[in-house]
Amino acid sequence: MALASRFLSRSRQLYASQVILPHEHAVSVRSYAKEAAPSKLPPLKGDEMLKNIFYEVKNKFETALGILRKEKITIDPDDPAAVAQYAKVMKTIREKADLFSESQRIKYTIEQQTQGIPDARTYLLTLQEIRIKSGLTDDLGAEAMMMEALEKVEKEIKKALMRSDKKNMGLLLAEFDKINKKLGIKKEDLPKYAEELELKIAKEQLQELKKDALEAMETQLKREEFKDEQMVDVKSLDIRNFL
């Protein structure tokens, strides 16, 4: 157990950082996107702004650590119950620390990166780029269908479709409604899709944590002082004891 204790003791801060700012599927603004939103407060001087940001991030970090000290996390990405528990803990952290969920972060990213885009084609291509950078897959082929719908509308109106063209954008949205119906996507099911996304992300994060833990212990085992130690089952590690 000395090996596990040494590993967890040395990496407690790194672990907590991974919980708040995990190894991305690849967008780096994951949990702190809210802090990048335009503030309603009056402009602050540079030093005062940096000080406020520091204390706000510090408070969020301490909030997350407080929750992690209480909640049991089992590093077992192959156990649905462990994945669900991890996702639950992450949700609690987001709610208590006022952080974005993954679906909220993606929505915010879309809003920020599509501002000022005049035409529908560039807008759809930007959505595709955001999806790829977020590590999400288009298993249903929805993007291709949306582009085909756009081609159909633009062929009908004989010009590029602009987002300010409300009449013809209505034609495109009607085509999108047909696609959603064909794919079985319902607006009322959006919360379910968001939950499924969070579970998928929780599983990926647990896989990353398991990989990091195994690599760290394997590195330690190569050292002379740990030559008589046995590799510990990652599932048996209790992070709460070392935070």
mmCIF file of all heavy atoms in Angstrom, residues 49-93:
data_model
loop_
_atom_site.group_PDB
_atom_site.id
_atom_site.type_symbol
_atom_site.label_atom_id
_atom_site.label_comp_id
_atom_site.label_asym_id
_atom_site.label_seq_id
_atom_site.Cartn_x
_atom_site.Cartn_y
_atom_site.Cartn_z
ATOM 1 N N MET A 49 -8.699 43.318 -11.573
ATOM 2 C CA MET A 49 -9.334 42.245 -12.344
ATOM 3 C C MET A 49 -8.624 40.919 -12.119
ATOM 4 O O MET A 49 -9.261 39.883 -11.886
ATOM 5 C CB MET A 49 -9.334 42.608 -13.831
ATOM 6 C CG MET A 49 -10.005 41.567 -14.715
ATOM 7 S SD MET A 49 -9.958 42.007 -16.459
ATOM 8 C CE MET A 49 -10.999 43.466 -16.466
ATOM 9 N N LEU A 50 -7.291 40.928 -12.185
ATOM 10 C CA LEU A 50 -6.524 39.705 -11.972
ATOM 11 C C LEU A 50 -6.732 39.157 -10.570
ATOM 12 O O LEU A 50 -6.849 37.941 -10.366
ATOM 13 C CB LEU A 50 -5.029 39.973 -12.206
ATOM 14 C CG LEU A 50 -4.613 40.203 -13.662
ATOM 15 C CD1 LEU A 50 -3.143 40.610 -13.733
ATOM 16 C CD2 LEU A 50 -4.854 38.951 -14.504
ATOM 17 N N LYS A 51 -6.800 40.053 -9.593
ATOM 18 C CA LYS A 51 -7.023 39.634 -8.212
ATOM 19 C C LYS A 51 -8.382 38.958 -8.070
ATOM 20 O O LYS A 51 -8.505 37.900 -7.437
ATOM 21 C CB LYS A 51 -6.941 40.856 -7.295
ATOM 22 C CG LYS A 51 -7.151 40.538 -5.814
ATOM 23 C CD LYS A 51 -7.042 41.802 -4.992
ATOM 24 C CE LYS A 51 -7.299 41.511 -3.503
ATOM 25 N NZ LYS A 51 -7.229 42.748 -2.685
ATOM 26 N N ASN A 52 -9.409 39.571 -8.676
ATOM 27 C CA ASN A 52 -10.753 38.993 -8.590
ATOM 28 C C ASN A 52 -10.824 37.635 -9.278
ATOM 29 O O ASN A 52 -11.457 36.699 -8.776
ATOM 30 C CB ASN A 52 -11.768 39.944 -9.229
ATOM 31 C CG ASN A 52 -11.999 41.194 -8.394
ATOM 32 O OD1 ASN A 52 -11.612 41.246 -7.234
ATOM 33 N ND2 ASN A 52 -12.627 42.197 -8.991
ATOM 34 N N ILE A 53 -10.179 37.522 -10.435
ATOM 35 C CA ILE A 53 -10.158 36.248 -11.151
ATOM 36 C C ILE A 53 -9.458 35.189 -10.313
ATOM 37 O O ILE A 53 -9.926 34.044 -10.204
ATOM 38 C CB ILE A 53 -9.461 36.407 -12.518
ATOM 39 C CG1 ILE A 53 -10.317 37.263 -13.453
ATOM 40 C CG2 ILE A 53 -9.199 35.034 -13.153
ATOM 41 C CD1 ILE A 53 -9.647 37.606 -14.763
ATOM 42 N N PHE A 54 -8.335 35.564 -9.706
ATOM 43 C CA PHE A 54 -7.575 34.607 -8.890
ATOM 44 C C PHE A 54 -8.442 34.074 -7.747
ATOM 45 O O PHE A 54 -8.512 32.861 -7.520
ATOM 46 C CB PHE A 54 -6.323 35.284 -8.323
ATOM 47 C CG PHE A 54 -5.601 34.436 -7.310
ATOM 48 C CD1 PHE A 54 -4.774 33.400 -7.713
ATOM 49 C CD2 PHE A 54 -5.773 34.663 -5.944
ATOM 50 C CE1 PHE A 54 -4.122 32.605 -6.776
ATOM 51 C CE2 PHE A 54 -5.126 33.871 -5.004
ATOM 52 C CZ PHE A 54 -4.297 32.846 -5.420
ATOM 53 N N TYR A 55 -9.113 34.966 -7.026
ATOM 54 C CA TYR A 55 -9.911 34.536 -5.882
ATOM 55 C C TYR A 55 -11.129 33.731 -6.322
ATOM 56 O O TYR A 55 -11.537 32.788 -5.628
ATOM 57 C CB TYR A 55 -10.344 35.747 -5.059
ATOM 58 C CG TYR A 55 -9.255 36.265 -4.147
ATOM 59 C CD1 TYR A 55 -8.720 37.530 -4.309
ATOM 60 C CD2 TYR A 55 -8.745 35.453 -3.128
ATOM 61 C CE1 TYR A 55 -7.704 37.997 -3.481
ATOM 62 C CE2 TYR A 55 -7.728 35.901 -2.295
ATOM 63 C CZ TYR A 55 -7.208 37.177 -2.478
ATOM 64 O OH TYR A 55 -6.205 37.624 -1.660
ATOM 65 N N GLU A 56 -11.692 34.085 -7.460
ATOM 66 C CA GLU A 56 -12.852 33.338 -7.938
ATOM 67 C C GLU A 56 -12.461 31.912 -8.319
ATOM 68 O O GLU A 56 -13.135 30.948 -7.949
ATOM 69 C CB GLU A 56 -13.482 34.050 -9.136
ATOM 70 C CG GLU A 56 -14.795 33.411 -9.579
ATOM 71 C CD GLU A 56 -15.549 34.264 -10.576
ATOM 72 O OE1 GLU A 56 -15.052 35.354 -10.929
ATOM 73 O OE2 GLU A 56 -16.633 33.837 -11.001
ATOM 74 N N VAL A 57 -11.350 31.768 -9.064
ATOM 75 C CA VAL A 57 -10.881 30.440 -9.440
ATOM 76 C C VAL A 57 -10.466 29.650 -8.196
ATOM 77 O O VAL A 57 -10.749 28.454 -8.073
ATOM 78 C CB VAL A 57 -9.709 30.540 -10.440
ATOM 79 C CG1 VAL A 57 -9.104 29.166 -10.689
ATOM 80 C CG2 VAL A 57 -10.180 31.137 -11.753
ATOM 81 N N LYS A 58 -9.818 30.317 -7.259
ATOM 82 C CA LYS A 58 -9.397 29.669 -6.003
ATOM 83 C C LYS A 58 -10.607 29.134 -5.247
ATOM 84 O O LYS A 58 -10.594 27.993 -4.742
ATOM 85 C CB LYS A 58 -8.632 30.672 -5.146
ATOM 86 C CG LYS A 58 -8.175 30.141 -3.781
ATOM 87 C CD LYS A 58 -7.340 31.186 -3.072
ATOM 88 C CE LYS A 58 -6.925 30.717 -1.688
ATOM 89 N NZ LYS A 58 -8.065 30.707 -0.739
ATOM 90 N N ASN A 59 -11.651 29.938 -5.166
ATOM 91 C CA ASN A 59 -12.858 29.500 -4.459
ATOM 92 C C ASN A 59 -13.510 28.309 -5.148
ATOM 93 O O ASN A 59 -13.986 27.379 -4.489
ATOM 94 C CB ASN A 59 -13.865 30.658 -4.366
ATOM 95 C CG ASN A 59 -13.405 31.747 -3.406
ATOM 96 O OD1 ASN A 59 -12.601 31.502 -2.509
ATOM 97 N ND2 ASN A 59 -13.913 32.960 -3.600
ATOM 98 N N LYS A 60 -13.535 28.330 -6.472
ATOM 99 C CA LYS A 60 -14.117 27.217 -7.216
ATOM 100 C C LYS A 60 -13.292 25.944 -6.998
ATOM 101 O O LYS A 60 -13.839 24.844 -6.836
ATOM 102 C CB LYS A 60 -14.204 27.555 -8.704
ATOM 103 C CG LYS A 60 -15.222 28.647 -9.030
ATOM 104 C CD LYS A 60 -15.220 28.972 -10.513
ATOM 105 C CE LYS A 60 -16.153 30.140 -10.816
ATOM 106 N NZ LYS A 60 -17.567 29.807 -10.588
ATOM 107 N N PHE A 61 -11.981 26.099 -7.010
ATOM 108 C CA PHE A 61 -11.089 24.963 -6.810
ATOM 109 C C PHE A 61 -11.288 24.364 -5.417
ATOM 110 O O PHE A 61 -11.384 23.138 -5.256
ATOM 111 C CB PHE A 61 -9.639 25.420 -6.995
ATOM 112 C CG PHE A 61 -8.632 24.310 -6.936
ATOM 113 C CD1 PHE A 61 -8.427 23.473 -8.016
ATOM 114 C CD2 PHE A 61 -7.881 24.098 -5.789
ATOM 115 C CE1 PHE A 61 -7.497 22.452 -7.963
ATOM 116 C CE2 PHE A 61 -6.951 23.079 -5.725
ATOM 117 C CZ PHE A 61 -6.753 22.254 -6.820
ATOM 118 N N GLU A 62 -11.383 25.224 -4.409
ATOM 119 C CA GLU A 62 -11.570 24.747 -3.040
ATOM 120 C C GLU A 62 -12.942 24.098 -2.868
ATOM 121 O O GLU A 62 -13.086 23.128 -2.113
ATOM 122 C CB GLU A 62 -11.398 25.906 -2.060
ATOM 123 C CG GLU A 62 -9.945 26.382 -1.965
ATOM 124 C CD GLU A 62 -9.782 27.591 -1.056
ATOM 125 O OE1 GLU A 62 -10.823 28.216 -0.704
ATOM 126 O OE2 GLU A 62 -8.624 27.919 -0.707
ATOM 127 N N THR A 63 -13.936 24.618 -3.565
ATOM 128 C CA THR A 63 -15.270 24.005 -3.525
ATOM 129 C C THR A 63 -15.214 22.589 -4.079
ATOM 130 O O THR A 63 -15.773 21.651 -3.493
ATOM 131 C CB THR A 63 -16.272 24.834 -4.350
ATOM 132 O OG1 THR A 63 -16.401 26.133 -3.764
ATOM 133 C CG2 THR A 63 -17.639 24.160 -4.390
ATOM 134 N N ALA A 64 -14.511 22.431 -5.204
ATOM 135 C CA ALA A 64 -14.375 21.108 -5.819
ATOM 136 C C ALA A 64 -13.643 20.151 -4.892
ATOM 137 O O ALA A 64 -14.045 19.001 -4.710
ATOM 138 C CB ALA A 64 -13.637 21.226 -7.148
ATOM 139 N N LEU A 65 -12.551 20.618 -4.280
ATOM 140 C CA LEU A 65 -11.792 19.762 -3.368
ATOM 141 C C LEU A 65 -12.639 19.331 -2.178
ATOM 142 O O LEU A 65 -12.564 18.181 -1.727
ATOM 143 C CB LEU A 65 -10.553 20.502 -2.871
ATOM 144 C CG LEU A 65 -9.326 20.505 -3.783
ATOM 145 C CD1 LEU A 65 -8.188 21.250 -3.111
ATOM 146 C CD2 LEU A 65 -8.895 19.099 -4.145
ATOM 147 N N GLY A 66 -13.457 20.257 -1.659
ATOM 148 C CA GLY A 66 -14.314 19.926 -0.534
ATOM 149 C C GLY A 66 -15.278 18.797 -0.862
ATOM 150 O O GLY A 66 -15.515 17.904 -0.039
ATOM 151 N N ILE A 67 -15.824 18.819 -2.062
ATOM 152 C CA ILE A 67 -16.743 17.761 -2.498
ATOM 153 C C ILE A 67 -16.000 16.450 -2.709
ATOM 154 O O ILE A 67 -16.466 15.379 -2.321
ATOM 155 C CB ILE A 67 -17.473 18.190 -3.782
ATOM 156 C CG1 ILE A 67 -18.370 19.393 -3.491
ATOM 157 C CG2 ILE A 67 -18.298 17.037 -4.363
ATOM 158 C CD1 ILE A 67 -18.951 20.051 -4.720
ATOM 159 N N LEU A 68 -14.802 16.544 -3.299
ATOM 160 C CA LEU A 68 -14.017 15.338 -3.563
ATOM 161 C C LEU A 68 -13.565 14.649 -2.277
ATOM 162 O O LEU A 68 -13.351 13.434 -2.257
ATOM 163 C CB LEU A 68 -12.788 15.683 -4.415
ATOM 164 C CG LEU A 68 -13.091 16.074 -5.864
ATOM 165 C CD1 LEU A 68 -11.847 16.636 -6.531
ATOM 166 C CD2 LEU A 68 -13.616 14.877 -6.649
ATOM 167 N N ARG A 69 -13.419 15.414 -1.200
ATOM 168 C CA ARG A 69 -13.017 14.829 0.081
ATOM 169 C C ARG A 69 -14.145 14.020 0.716
ATOM 170 O O ARG A 69 -13.910 13.204 1.604
ATOM 171 C CB ARG A 69 -12.569 15.926 1.043
ATOM 172 C CG ARG A 69 -11.244 16.592 0.662
ATOM 173 C CD ARG A 69 -10.753 17.493 1.788
ATOM 174 N NE ARG A 69 -9.499 18.132 1.411
ATOM 175 C CZ ARG A 69 -9.384 19.405 1.038
ATOM 176 N NH1 ARG A 69 -10.475 20.155 0.978
ATOM 177 N NH2 ARG A 69 -8.218 19.920 0.728
ATOM 178 N N LYS A 70 -15.375 14.271 0.254
ATOM 179 C CA LYS A 70 -16.538 13.597 0.841
ATOM 180 C C LYS A 70 -17.059 12.452 -0.029
ATOM 181 O O LYS A 70 -17.559 11.451 0.491
ATOM 182 C CB LYS A 70 -17.665 14.608 1.062
ATOM 183 C CG LYS A 70 -17.318 15.729 2.036
ATOM 184 C CD LYS A 70 -18.464 16.734 2.125
ATOM 185 C CE LYS A 70 -18.130 17.897 3.050
ATOM 186 N NZ LYS A 70 -19.235 18.899 3.094
ATOM 187 N N GLU A 71 -16.975 12.620 -1.340
ATOM 188 C CA GLU A 71 -17.599 11.657 -2.256
ATOM 189 C C GLU A 71 -16.627 10.550 -2.675
ATOM 190 O O GLU A 71 -15.478 10.810 -2.995
ATOM 191 C CB GLU A 71 -18.105 12.379 -3.507
ATOM 192 C CG GLU A 71 -19.154 13.438 -3.237
ATOM 193 C CD GLU A 71 -20.499 12.850 -2.864
ATOM 194 O OE1 GLU A 71 -20.668 11.620 -3.014
ATOM 195 O OE2 GLU A 71 -21.385 13.610 -2.434
ATOM 196 N N LYS A 72 -17.106 9.328 -2.679
ATOM 197 C CA LYS A 72 -16.284 8.185 -3.086
ATOM 198 C C LYS A 72 -16.275 8.075 -4.605
ATOM 199 O O LYS A 72 -17.314 8.067 -5.246
ATOM 200 C CB LYS A 72 -16.841 6.893 -2.500
ATOM 201 C CG LYS A 72 -16.113 5.628 -2.936
ATOM 202 C CD LYS A 72 -14.718 5.566 -2.326
ATOM 203 C CE LYS A 72 -14.098 4.180 -2.510
ATOM 204 N NZ LYS A 72 -13.793 3.838 -3.915
ATOM 205 N N ILE A 73 -15.091 8.018 -5.186
ATOM 206 C CA ILE A 73 -14.931 7.824 -6.624
ATOM 207 C C ILE A 73 -14.155 6.535 -6.849
ATOM 208 O O ILE A 73 -13.067 6.354 -6.309
ATOM 209 C CB ILE A 73 -14.177 8.998 -7.267
ATOM 210 C CG1 ILE A 73 -15.049 10.262 -7.256
ATOM 211 C CG2 ILE A 73 -13.764 8.671 -8.696
ATOM 212 C CD1 ILE A 73 -14.352 11.498 -7.770
ATOM 213 N N THR A 74 -14.733 5.647 -7.622
ATOM 214 C CA THR A 74 -14.062 4.397 -7.968
ATOM 215 C C THR A 74 -13.522 4.522 -9.386
ATOM 216 O O THR A 74 -14.275 4.766 -10.330
ATOM 217 C CB THR A 74 -15.031 3.201 -7.900
ATOM 218 O OG1 THR A 74 -15.583 3.115 -6.576
ATOM 219 C CG2 THR A 74 -14.299 1.911 -8.232
ATOM 220 N N ILE A 75 -12.209 4.369 -9.528
ATOM 221 C CA ILE A 75 -11.584 4.508 -10.842
ATOM 222 C C ILE A 75 -11.758 3.206 -11.619
ATOM 223 O O ILE A 75 -10.854 2.377 -11.711
ATOM 224 C CB ILE A 75 -10.091 4.887 -10.718
ATOM 225 C CG1 ILE A 75 -9.939 6.124 -9.834
ATOM 226 C CG2 ILE A 75 -9.491 5.169 -12.096
ATOM 227 C CD1 ILE A 75 -8.508 6.545 -9.601
ATOM 228 N N ASP A 76 -12.963 3.034 -12.147
ATOM 229 C CA ASP A 76 -13.291 1.826 -12.905
ATOM 230 C C ASP A 76 -14.204 2.211 -14.072
ATOM 231 O O ASP A 76 -15.432 2.159 -13.961
ATOM 232 C CB ASP A 76 -13.980 0.802 -12.008
ATOM 233 C CG ASP A 76 -14.211 -0.519 -12.727
ATOM 234 O OD1 ASP A 76 -13.791 -0.640 -13.899
ATOM 235 O OD2 ASP A 76 -14.812 -1.428 -12.131
ATOM 236 N N PRO A 77 -13.613 2.609 -15.196
ATOM 237 C CA PRO A 77 -14.418 3.050 -16.342
ATOM 238 C C PRO A 77 -15.279 1.958 -16.959
ATOM 239 O O PRO A 77 -16.174 2.251 -17.754
ATOM 240 C CB PRO A 77 -13.362 3.542 -17.338
ATOM 241 C CG PRO A 77 -12.110 2.824 -16.955
ATOM 242 C CD PRO A 77 -12.173 2.677 -15.469
ATOM 243 N N ASP A 78 -15.039 0.701 -16.592
ATOM 244 C CA ASP A 78 -15.811 -0.410 -17.151
ATOM 245 C C ASP A 78 -17.041 -0.751 -16.323
ATOM 246 O O ASP A 78 -17.834 -1.611 -16.709
ATOM 247 C CB ASP A 78 -14.913 -1.654 -17.280
ATOM 248 C CG ASP A 78 -13.739 -1.419 -18.220
ATOM 249 O OD1 ASP A 78 -13.944 -0.781 -19.265
ATOM 250 O OD2 ASP A 78 -12.624 -1.863 -17.899
ATOM 251 N N ASP A 79 -17.195 -0.087 -15.183
ATOM 252 C CA ASP A 79 -18.338 -0.327 -14.308
ATOM 253 C C ASP A 79 -19.341 0.818 -14.472
ATOM 254 O O ASP A 79 -19.062 1.952 -14.078
ATOM 255 C CB ASP A 79 -17.862 -0.407 -12.849
ATOM 256 C CG ASP A 79 -19.012 -0.654 -11.882
ATOM 257 O OD1 ASP A 79 -20.165 -0.826 -12.350
ATOM 258 O OD2 ASP A 79 -18.769 -0.668 -10.663
ATOM 259 N N PRO A 80 -20.512 0.547 -15.056
ATOM 260 C CA PRO A 80 -21.516 1.599 -15.265
ATOM 261 C C PRO A 80 -21.876 2.339 -13.983
ATOM 262 O O PRO A 80 -22.119 3.550 -14.011
ATOM 263 C CB PRO A 80 -22.715 0.840 -15.821
ATOM 264 C CG PRO A 80 -22.121 -0.373 -16.476
ATOM 265 C CD PRO A 80 -20.961 -0.755 -15.598
ATOM 266 N N ALA A 81 -21.908 1.622 -12.852
ATOM 267 C CA ALA A 81 -22.246 2.256 -11.576
ATOM 268 C C ALA A 81 -21.161 3.258 -11.166
ATOM 269 O O ALA A 81 -21.464 4.348 -10.663
ATOM 270 C CB ALA A 81 -22.435 1.200 -10.487
ATOM 271 N N ALA A 82 -19.894 2.891 -11.398
ATOM 272 C CA ALA A 82 -18.782 3.783 -11.065
ATOM 273 C C ALA A 82 -18.801 5.008 -11.962
ATOM 274 O O ALA A 82 -18.534 6.132 -11.511
ATOM 275 C CB ALA A 82 -17.451 3.040 -11.199
ATOM 276 N N VAL A 83 -19.126 4.809 -13.229
ATOM 277 C CA VAL A 83 -19.199 5.927 -14.177
ATOM 278 C C VAL A 83 -20.328 6.874 -13.777
ATOM 279 O O VAL A 83 -20.165 8.102 -13.776
ATOM 280 C CB VAL A 83 -19.419 5.419 -15.614
ATOM 281 C CG1 VAL A 83 -19.684 6.583 -16.565
ATOM 282 C CG2 VAL A 83 -18.208 4.618 -16.091
ATOM 283 N N ALA A 84 -21.482 6.297 -13.412
ATOM 284 C CA ALA A 84 -22.634 7.112 -13.012
ATOM 285 C C ALA A 84 -22.321 7.902 -11.742
ATOM 286 O O ALA A 84 -22.700 9.077 -11.625
ATOM 287 C CB ALA A 84 -23.851 6.222 -12.799
ATOM 288 N N GLN A 85 -21.632 7.275 -10.796
ATOM 289 C CA GLN A 85 -21.266 7.961 -9.558
ATOM 290 C C GLN A 85 -20.288 9.095 -9.830
ATOM 291 O O GLN A 85 -20.411 10.191 -9.287
ATOM 292 C CB GLN A 85 -20.653 6.969 -8.569
ATOM 293 C CG GLN A 85 -20.045 7.582 -7.313
ATOM 294 C CD GLN A 85 -21.045 8.337 -6.449
ATOM 295 O OE1 GLN A 85 -22.253 8.243 -6.661
ATOM 296 N NE2 GLN A 85 -20.544 9.090 -5.468
ATOM 297 N N TYR A 86 -19.316 8.842 -10.701
ATOM 298 C CA TYR A 86 -18.349 9.876 -11.064
ATOM 299 C C TYR A 86 -19.070 11.056 -11.730
ATOM 300 O O TYR A 86 -18.798 12.224 -11.414
ATOM 301 C CB TYR A 86 -17.299 9.296 -12.002
ATOM 302 C CG TYR A 86 -16.237 10.285 -12.438
ATOM 303 C CD1 TYR A 86 -15.133 10.555 -11.639
ATOM 304 C CD2 TYR A 86 -16.342 10.958 -13.644
ATOM 305 C CE1 TYR A 86 -14.155 11.458 -12.034
ATOM 306 C CE2 TYR A 86 -15.374 11.869 -14.050
ATOM 307 C CZ TYR A 86 -14.286 12.103 -13.242
ATOM 308 O OH TYR A 86 -13.336 13.007 -13.635
ATOM 309 N N ALA A 87 -19.989 10.753 -12.653
ATOM 310 C CA ALA A 87 -20.751 11.807 -13.327
ATOM 311 C C ALA A 87 -21.580 12.600 -12.313
ATOM 312 O O ALA A 87 -21.705 13.827 -12.422
ATOM 313 C CB ALA A 87 -21.667 11.191 -14.384
ATOM 314 N N LYS A 88 -22.118 11.915 -11.311
ATOM 315 C CA LYS A 88 -22.907 12.574 -10.269
ATOM 316 C C LYS A 88 -22.045 13.533 -9.459
ATOM 317 O O LYS A 88 -22.458 14.657 -9.150
ATOM 318 C CB LYS A 88 -23.530 11.520 -9.346
ATOM 319 C CG LYS A 88 -24.356 12.102 -8.211
ATOM 320 C CD LYS A 88 -24.898 10.997 -7.312
ATOM 321 C CE LYS A 88 -25.646 11.584 -6.128
ATOM 322 N NZ LYS A 88 -26.132 10.503 -5.216
ATOM 323 N N VAL A 89 -20.829 13.090 -9.127
ATOM 324 C CA VAL A 89 -19.910 13.941 -8.365
ATOM 325 C C VAL A 89 -19.530 15.176 -9.187
ATOM 326 O O VAL A 89 -19.495 16.303 -8.680
ATOM 327 C CB VAL A 89 -18.647 13.160 -7.967
ATOM 328 C CG1 VAL A 89 -17.611 14.089 -7.332
ATOM 329 C CG2 VAL A 89 -18.995 12.037 -6.992
ATOM 330 N N MET A 90 -19.255 14.953 -10.476
ATOM 331 C CA MET A 90 -18.899 16.074 -11.341
ATOM 332 C C MET A 90 -20.062 17.077 -11.456
ATOM 333 O O MET A 90 -19.856 18.287 -11.477
ATOM 334 C CB MET A 90 -18.526 15.574 -12.737
ATOM 335 C CG MET A 90 -17.268 14.727 -12.794
ATOM 336 S SD MET A 90 -15.797 15.573 -12.173
ATOM 337 C CE MET A 90 -15.695 14.839 -10.531
ATOM 338 N N LYS A 91 -21.277 16.555 -11.508
ATOM 339 C CA LYS A 91 -22.449 17.423 -11.583
ATOM 340 C C LYS A 91 -22.588 18.251 -10.312
ATOM 341 O O LYS A 91 -22.890 19.453 -10.360
ATOM 342 C CB LYS A 91 -23.713 16.584 -11.809
ATOM 343 C CG LYS A 91 -24.976 17.427 -11.930
ATOM 344 C CD LYS A 91 -26.199 16.551 -12.185
ATOM 345 C CE LYS A 91 -27.460 17.399 -12.314
ATOM 346 N NZ LYS A 91 -28.667 16.561 -12.560
ATOM 347 N N THR A 92 -22.341 17.611 -9.167
ATOM 348 C CA THR A 92 -22.403 18.321 -7.893
ATOM 349 C C THR A 92 -21.369 19.434 -7.846
ATOM 350 O O THR A 92 -21.654 20.554 -7.404
ATOM 351 C CB THR A 92 -22.169 17.348 -6.720
ATOM 352 O OG1 THR A 92 -23.173 16.327 -6.735
ATOM 353 C CG2 THR A 92 -22.225 18.083 -5.383
ATOM 354 N N ILE A 93 -20.160 19.141 -8.328
ATOM 355 C CA ILE A 93 -19.100 20.151 -8.365
ATOM 356 C C ILE A 93 -19.514 21.325 -9.246
ATOM 357 O O ILE A 93 -19.344 22.488 -8.879
ATOM 358 C CB ILE A 93 -17.778 19.529 -8.858
ATOM 359 C CG1 ILE A 93 -17.196 18.601 -7.793
ATOM 360 C CG2 ILE A 93 -16.762 20.622 -9.217
ATOM 361 C CD1 ILE A 93 -15.961 17.846 -8.242
#
